Amino acid sequence: MINNVSILKNITILYAEDEVALREITLNILRGFTKKQFVAENGAQGLDLFKQNESEIDLIITDVNMPIMNGLEMIREIKKINPHIPIIVATAFSNTEYLLEAIDIGVDKYVLKPIDMKKLLQLMSQSLLYHELKDLYTDNLTHLPNRNKLKKDLENSSEDLMAIINIDKFSTINDLFGEHNGDKVLIEFADALKEYFSNQEFIIYRIEADKFAVISKSFDRDVNNFYDLCKNFEEFIEQEPVYIDEHEIDLNITIGIAKSDANNAYKYAQRVVTYARKKFEPILIYNDSFNIQESFEENIKWIKKIKNGVKNGDFKGYFQPIVDTKTKEIYKYEALVRYIEEDGTVVSPYTFLNIAKKAKLYPHIIRIMLDEAFNLIKTKNKRVAVNISFEDIASAVTMEHINKVLKENAEYTNLLEFEILESEEISNFEEVFKFINTVNEFGCKVGVDDFGAGYSNFNMLVNLNISYVKIDGSLIRSIDKSENQKIIVKTIDEFAKKFGFKTVAEFVSSEEIYEVIKEIGVDFSQGYYFDAPLSYDQIK
């Protein structure tokens, strides 16, 4: 018996019994097996104790016939507060009608009077183990089935029609109103889902903090009919704010719908909801044009290739010349990563760089590029610029490696430059200041790349100790045909010059573009008009 009830030694119970003698006998035994006991003489007292100590209580044992409030009335009220609390009812054999009612309101176990203590202790341990298992499949906040339950249900299903519903920017709600109110919003949202999607026709799950799934119980339901129902729900949510303690909270949601007879509905719905968010579409139905399976396979293939490529030296630096705009003489080279296939095919970073970043493999690539840059600097005496992201700068591991490499190559660092990618949002300028000061001590120049795209900030240029600004290619590639782009580039160039920064134009691909850049007075130029990125062997 001890082995069976060892689980009880750390639990707290609420015990309600009006018979003094039975209460004392039972309580004395329970004290030897449980950590703490709250004792009530009637249902009303028991309910009050539960309300005051809900977070502590793990299990309830109660008599049925008690004064003021009987055990079943107490159970009904407690189940409203916590529907998952395990409850054992003690009743006389003659009270079978009470027993049936107890089962109907969700009581887990019962024990007959006079109480067999060995039986009671076994029932207590069984009840806790049952609820421990049940909690694996239930979301504690909304009491909806959780992701574990969804996965289990999907394993038993060969065809599904489902929607994944994502609350947009839910973290902002937590930031603005606090996590406590955020939890209340999720409960309200779950209740709204239950209203729109009846439990007779649908199963609703909470699968992540701000993500829910709705599965139709009938696969034969028309997908357009399901779309209309989801659309109505989306419109309702966006038109009706949630009120939490008089706070009006507006919600926006994105919905991805998928129907599949190959057990793929879940991953299709996940991917289409992500696709919908990128396209700013509130609701989309998956179709084969999204090529989701092919995309998965391509991602898996490239993750493996990147890992092996790092080990086997398949990543190489290619170097594109940056010339003096006036003379067209090469001033330096920008180091650009390329993946070399077994057959010698050179693969552009556009194919694998985002995958490398998402798979947390990008730090390996920045290290390779530093080695490639120093190889060109040391053997061919060339000035080389290497791209660096804010994520690299904020990584202690990456920065430790950069410092190590700079120290090992200290006599050559005056020919190395870093270009900070300005198209990525910088969330901590202190880290950037620290980085610039560190590499400046080694004689490295620092520039800002992609200026004019994304998060362009003139104030940032003033506050950072940089040497040059590279103007984003989106402003250069049509500058010979767009007066507006010409004005923007001229403004950036004049601003940079006033603060002593040199300017670089990238994507200079034709003589017409070059002539405009030269007329504006941009200091340096880069692009296919001068040369494509070159391998190490192609550079003299």
Side-chain angles (χ1 to χ4, degrees):
M1 182 177 76
I2 297 299
N3 289 336
N4 291 335
V5 299
S6 59
I7 191 173
L8 304 179
K9 64 182 179 181
N10 292 318
I11 73 161
T12 296
I13 64 166
L14 169 60
Y15 176 44
E17 171 62 64
D18 64 319
E19 292 184 35
V20 178
L22 177 58
R23 186 173 65 239
E24 288 304 316
I25 292 170
T26 306
L27 190 57
N28 282 333
I29 296 173
L30 291 175
R31 283 178 179 139
F33 287 94
T34 59
K35 181 178 71 175
K36 187 175 180 181
Q37 308 79 32
F38 291 102
V39 185
E41 297 177 7
N42 56 63
Q45 196 178 93
L47 180 59
D48 286 342
L49 282 169
F50 183 78
K51 288 178 178 177
Q52 295 165 20
N53 305 281
E54 180 195 352
S55 61
E56 281 190 77
I57 294 170
D58 303 300
L59 173 74
I60 297 171
I61 304 169
T62 180
D63 184 23
V64 173
N65 287 322
M66 293 187 292
I68 305 177
M69 175 185 279
N70 71 35
L72 298 184
E73 291 170 336
M74 179 189 78
I75 291 168
R76 287 187 189 279
E77 295 304 311
I78 285 174
K79 285 284 185 179
K80 290 178 185 177
I81 300 169
N82 183 349
H84 302 299
I85 187 78
I87 300 173
I88 298 173
V89 166
T91 183
F93 183 76
S94 58
N95 292 333
T96 52
E97 72 277 12
Y98 288 127
L99 189 57
L100 292 173
E101 188 179 349
I103 293 169
D104 186 54
I105 62 176
V107 169
D108 301 281
K109 308 283 183 182
Y110 71 92
V111 62
L112 294 176
K113 292 183 177 181
I115 295 176
D116 180 332
M117 291 309 302
K118 179 178 178 180
K119 177 70 172 175
L120 176 61
L121 292 169
Q122 288 175 337
L123 288 176
M124 288 168 66
S125 60
Q126 289 170 10
S127 185
L128 285 168
L129 288 168
Y130 166 78
H131 275 275
E132 188 177 305
L133 181 63
K134 188 174 180 180
D135 286 345
L136 289 174
Y137 297 106
T138 305
D139 175 54
N140 290 329
L141 181 66
T142 63
H143 305 306
L144 291 171
N146 62 14
R147 184 173 181 168
N148 293 333
K149 186 66 167 69
L150 173 62
K151 287 184 174 181
K152 189 174 180 65
D153 289 348
L154 290 174
E155 287 172 4
N156 299 322
S157 172
S158 60
E159 49 187 25
D160 294 292
L161 169 61
M162 70 181 301
I164 288 183
I165 302 173
N166 200 164
I167 303 175
D168 298 336
K169 298 182 178 177
F170 183 74
S171 60
T172 304
I173 294 172
N174 281 335
D175 291 341
L176 289 173
F177 299 97
E179 290 186 8
H180 178 67
N181 284 324
D183 286 347
K184 289 182 178 180
V185 169
L186 290 169
I187 293 168
E188 291 280 336
F189 187 79
D191 289 342
L193 280 169
K194 292 173 192 174
E195 281 186 39
Y196 263 82
F197 301 94
S198 75
N199 60 9
Q200 290 161 353
E201 298 179 80
F202 301 96
I203 307 172
I204 304 166
Y205 305 80
R206 183 187 177 205
I207 55 175
E208 289 179 28
D210 55 2
K211 195 176 285 185
F212 296 77
V214 178
I215 294 185
S216 172
K217 289 183 177 179
S218 170
F219 183 73
D220 294 332
R221 180 184 297 276
D222 181 68
V223 70
N224 292 314
N225 172 275
F226 188 42
Y227 174 92
D228 291 340
L229 189 59
C230 291
K231 183 66 177 172
N232 290 339
F233 178 72
E234 182 262 328
E235 290 173 353
F236 167 76
I237 289 296
E238 297 201 355
Q239 289 169 8
E240 298 292 331
V242 175
Y243 290 92
I244 303 295
D245 298 334
E246 300 183 356
H247 301 302
E248 184 179 294
I249 302 176
D250 294 308
L251 297 181
N252 294 293
I253 60 175
T254 304
I255 304 176
I257 298 171
K259 185 174 185 177
S260 172
D261 59 0
N263 219 7
N264 288 318
Y266 180 48
K267 62 182 177 183
Y268 288 171
Q270 279 191 307
R271 182 57 64 92
V272 78
V273 78
T274 302
Y275 184 76
R277 293 182 77 175
K278 288 180 181 177
K279 295 292 183 181
F280 300 101
E281 293 281 351
I283 180 168
L284 280 178
I285 301 174
Y286 169 80
N287 62 65
D288 290 336
S289 68
F290 294 133
N291 295 323
I292 285 173
Q293 191 59 38
E294 290 85 346
S295 176
F296 285 148
E297 291 169 0
E298 187 71 9
N299 292 345
I300 292 167
K301 180 187 81 173
W302 268 108
I303 289 171
K304 185 176 180 180
K305 288 174 79 167
I306 292 167
K307 287 181 177 179
N308 290 335
V310 169
K311 295 176 186 175
N312 302 331
D314 296 329
F315 288 101
K316 296 295 181 183
Y318 269 56
F319 305 90
Q320 188 168 34
I322 297 175
V323 306
D324 183 301
T325 303
K326 290 180 182 177
T327 66
K328 293 187 181 179
E329 291 181 359
I330 296 174
Y331 172 67
K332 63 180 177 182
Y333 293 84
E334 179 182 3
L336 302 166
V337 67
R338 296 290 187 267
Y339 180 85
I340 313 301
E341 298 276 15
E342 288 184 9
D343 63 0
T345 302
V346 180
V347 182
S348 161
Y350 297 109
T351 305
F352 58 80
L353 214 52
N354 281 336
I355 297 171
K357 288 178 179 178
K358 288 178 181 178
K360 307 297 183 186
L361 298 169
Y362 183 70
H364 296 294
I365 294 176
I366 185 72
R367 295 178 186 184
I368 291 169
M369 294 311 295
L370 272 177
D371 291 341
E372 292 283 290
F374 272 119
N375 183 45
L376 186 66
I377 291 169
K378 290 191 284 189
T379 60
K380 298 192 178 184
N381 195 35
K382 304 297 183 184
R383 176 174 289 276
V384 182
V386 175
N387 289 321
I388 189 165
S389 68
F390 174 69
E391 189 176 348
D392 295 324
I393 293 170
S395 167
V397 174
T398 301
M399 286 309 304
E400 184 179 342
H401 180 79
I402 289 173
N403 281 328
K404 178 174 175 288
V405 173
L406 293 180
K407 287 177 182 176
E408 290 172 351
N409 298 277
E411 61 183 297
Y412 301 100
T413 51
N414 64 308
L415 291 176
L416 180 69
E417 299 182 2
F418 289 95
E419 294 183 359
I420 300 173
L421 298 170
E422 206 273 332
S423 56
E424 298 184 5
E425 186 173 15
I426 296 172
S427 58
N428 186 342
F429 277 95
E430 288 300 321
E431 293 288 344
V432 180
F433 296 145
K434 182 180 174 183
F435 166 74
I436 294 174
N437 289 336
T438 298
V439 299
N440 280 168
E441 289 177 5
F442 287 94
C444 302
K445 290 184 178 180
V446 178
V448 171
D449 195 7
D450 297 333
F451 194 83
Y455 303 94
S456 296
N457 184 337
F458 283 97
N459 188 52
M460 182 191 76
L461 298 185
V462 177
N463 290 314
L464 293 179
N465 183 23
I466 59 171
S467 300
Y468 62 92
V469 175
K470 182 179 279 188
I471 303 166
D472 187 65
S474 63
L475 297 172
I476 305 296
R477 59 167 57 99
S478 301
I479 196 169
D480 56 323
K481 300 180 181 68
S482 171
E483 189 62 29
N484 288 339
Q485 288 187 9
K486 184 176 178 180
I487 292 168
I488 294 170
V489 171
K490 191 172 183 179
T491 301
I492 294 172
D493 182 74
E494 289 175 351
F495 180 88
K497 297 282 177 56
K498 284 180 182 178
F499 287 92
F501 309 141
K502 297 291 185 180
T503 52
V504 183
E506 58 181 356
F507 282 77
V508 180
S509 57
S510 68
E511 187 171 358
E512 291 79 11
I513 293 173
Y514 167 69
E515 290 298 335
V516 176
I517 294 302
K518 186 178 179 182
E519 177 193 334
I520 291 172
V522 177
D523 297 299
F524 300 99
S525 299
Q526 175 183 1
Y528 277 76
Y529 175 64
F530 307 103
D531 219 332
L534 306 169
S535 69
Y536 172 86
D537 293 333
Q538 291 174 308
I539 298 173
K540 296 179 181 179

